[in-house]
Amino acid sequence: MDWNFQSAEEIAAALRAGAVTSVELTDAAIARIEREDKAINAICVPDFENARAAARAADRARARGEDRPLLGIPVTVKESYDIAGLPTTWGMPQHANYVPDEDAVQVSRLKAAGAVILGKTNVPVMLRDIQSFNGIYGTTNNPWDHGRTSGGSSGGSAAALASGFGALSIGSDLAGSLRTPAHFCGIYAHKPTLGLAPTRGMVAPPGPALPIDLDLAVVGPMARTARDLTLLLDVMAGPDPLTHGLAYAVALPPARHDRLADFRVLIIEDHPLIATGSAVRAGVNRVAEALVDAGAHVERHSPLLPDPTEAAMLYMQLMLSNAAAGLPLDVYRQQQIRAAALSADDRSLDAARLRGMVLSHRDWVAANNGRELHRHGWRQLFAEFDAVVCPLTPTPAYPHDHDGDLEDRHVDIDGVAYPYFDQLVWAGMATMPGLPATAVPAGRSPEGLPVGVQLIGPMFEDRTPLRLAELLEQKIGGFQAP
């Protein structure tokens, strides 16, 4: 049997039954990486010697009667997580030799659960792109078409999973960085509710690993099946033991329903600020039709949906305010001059991003209050619906585009060019209010590229979109190897 494309759940069962050892699984994964990754470039920091040692230790632990959630299962980790003894660069050449001496809290949780870490996966510079390439490790290719991007910023993890390099991976998401690579590579990913999984140790070098409650950004699981997402989220979730963990424990509510027929779902395929490409539209409708066929209650419109235009503007302001906080003072002053020159009636997303870069604290508080109003609107919506199905980006994976500054690039949507960063409005729909969102495969484009959608759920009810993802996987199918 080729174990490299089996689910973590199947591998765990085989390990418990004695049908395979962790050493055998790890050797098979390493052999596949050494054979196939030259064309993909997903694994930027291999750690095979330590992986084999961890596999031997896992087999000894199992022989003693131990059984942990990920005991002996080969996994990968996004390069942006600290792993003691391995470089953490975030793709920045000036930090190519930075090596932390402590594991990120999520890496510690993987190891405590018994996982075998094969190595780290590639990212864009500073995690700030929808593609994964940098001057240290090069470009990660999409396993379905090597001339196209695997997505970003967790593009290396998505490409690794689609290529059979480990059963699970952990990534992060601020602007779709878990969900977009999953959509581009045909796998599953889950953006947890904001604050559900601690981020300590996923920090740009050489910053200290502090237990900071990040705004907008989360860490989360990636897998080849929906059930594996839940398996890994259960390892990742729970407060940081240095702070909230001193007083709180996590107890996620169960999924609202256990049958597709019982779900109440709002379908959204259009956004007022950007077009939806035909291939993605077809994916959304493929899921909608499956839900209708299963007897679910499906609506196409609701007055309860918080205003998507206002949501996108708030998202851009909050995100860019965060991103610009570390700009050199002279660059920040230049952005202030540019923002002051904007016309008062310029309501473009470009203008929202520029204004966000120079938000005063007073204006940030106003934007944050706007976010709270949107959160309240979502609570009202989720009293009537259980999930929202919508795109992740307007298109499937596009050809590599490394030219010029990010602000100067464009995305082609059925022959029409849009500003590159405008495509983030779909990711921001869940990110701005901090909602959980599960990326699921939804078929193929006419060119044979994967197409995914996201299932947005109620805050802290992560198990609801995850269960819906499982049921849809049974109904319409899921991951297929390239």
Side-chain angles (χ1 to χ4, degrees), residues 97 123 127 139 183 189 264 274 317 369 373 463 466 472:
N97 297 318
V123 297
L127 315 187
T139 300
H183 156 50
R264 304 163 298 168
I274 197 166
Q317 289 181 332
N369 287 340
L373 288 172
R463 297 198 191 283
L466 285 166
L472 283 169

Side-chain angles (χ1 to χ4, degrees), residues 200-215:
R200 176 164 51 89
M202 210 222 48
V203 58
L210 301 175
I212 297 170
D213 293 328
L214 297 178
D215 189 27

Side-chain angles (χ1 to χ4, degrees), residues 128-406:
R128 290 179 181 172
D129 200 349
I130 313 166
Q131 307 176 74
S132 291
F133 68 96
N134 60 73
I136 303 173
Y137 300 121
T139 300
T140 297
N141 298 319
N142 191 304
W144 292 86
D145 180 343
H146 297 175
R148 295 176 185 263
T149 180
S150 63
S153 62
S154 307
S157 288
L161 286 165
S163 301
F165 306 159
L168 302 166
S169 193
I170 57 173
S172 61
D173 192 312
L174 168 68
S177 288
L178 284 159
R179 293 163 287 163
T180 297
H183 156 50
F184 283 176
C185 293
I187 64 156
Y188 290 81
H190 181 69
K191 185 199 89 65
T193 295
L194 181 66
L196 179 61
T199 62
R200 176 164 51 89
M202 210 222 48
V203 58
L210 301 175
I212 297 170
D213 293 328
L214 297 178
D215 189 27
L216 300 173
V218 302
V219 295
M222 307 178 80
R224 286 188 294 268
T225 72
R227 287 177 63 86
D228 279 358
L229 289 179
T230 299
L231 173 68
L232 185 49
L233 181 66
D234 285 346
V235 171
M236 300 181 74
D240 192 310
L242 295 185
T243 54
H244 300 294
L246 293 171
Y248 308 135
V250 68
L252 291 177
R256 291 186 174 188
H257 308 293
D258 204 40
R259 302 186 312 146
L260 278 179
D262 295 331
F263 275 85
R264 304 163 298 168
V265 181
L266 177 63
I267 306 293
I268 306 171
E269 57 182 295
D270 292 303
H271 197 285
L273 298 180
I274 197 166
T276 301
S278 56
V280 169
R281 188 181 300 278
V284 173
N285 285 307
R286 195 173 293 118
V287 170
E289 290 162 7
L291 289 165
V292 170
D293 183 67
H297 177 79
V298 175
E299 298 286 347
R300 293 280 183 164
H301 303 281
S302 172
L304 295 172
L305 180 70
D307 180 17
T309 297
E310 183 180 61
M313 296 298 178
L314 286 170
Y315 171 59
M316 295 298 177
Q317 289 181 332
L318 291 165
M319 178 171 62
L320 270 296
S321 175
N322 189 312
L327 287 176
L329 185 58
D330 60 332
V331 177
Y332 181 76
R333 297 297 188 206
Q334 292 170 10
Q335 301 308 317
Q336 285 182 312
I337 294 170
R338 291 181 58 212
L342 288 170
S343 169
D345 59 0
D346 187 343
R347 311 306 300 169
S348 67
L349 288 170
D350 273 340
R353 287 187 283 269
L354 182 53
R355 292 187 180 109
M357 293 179 75
V358 297
L359 276 188
S360 67
H361 183 65
R362 174 187 177 91
D363 289 338
W364 186 92
V365 169
N368 188 51
N369 287 340
R371 167 166 49 187
E372 290 300 336
L373 288 172
H374 275 253
R375 282 178 174 161
H376 184 63
W378 280 102
R379 281 191 287 270
Q380 293 176 310
L381 181 142
F382 283 123
E384 301 293 329
F385 295 95
D386 303 306
V388 171
V389 175
C390 65
L392 287 149
T393 70
T395 70
Y398 37 79
H400 296 297
D401 179 8
H402 302 170
D403 296 333
D405 295 332
L406 295 172

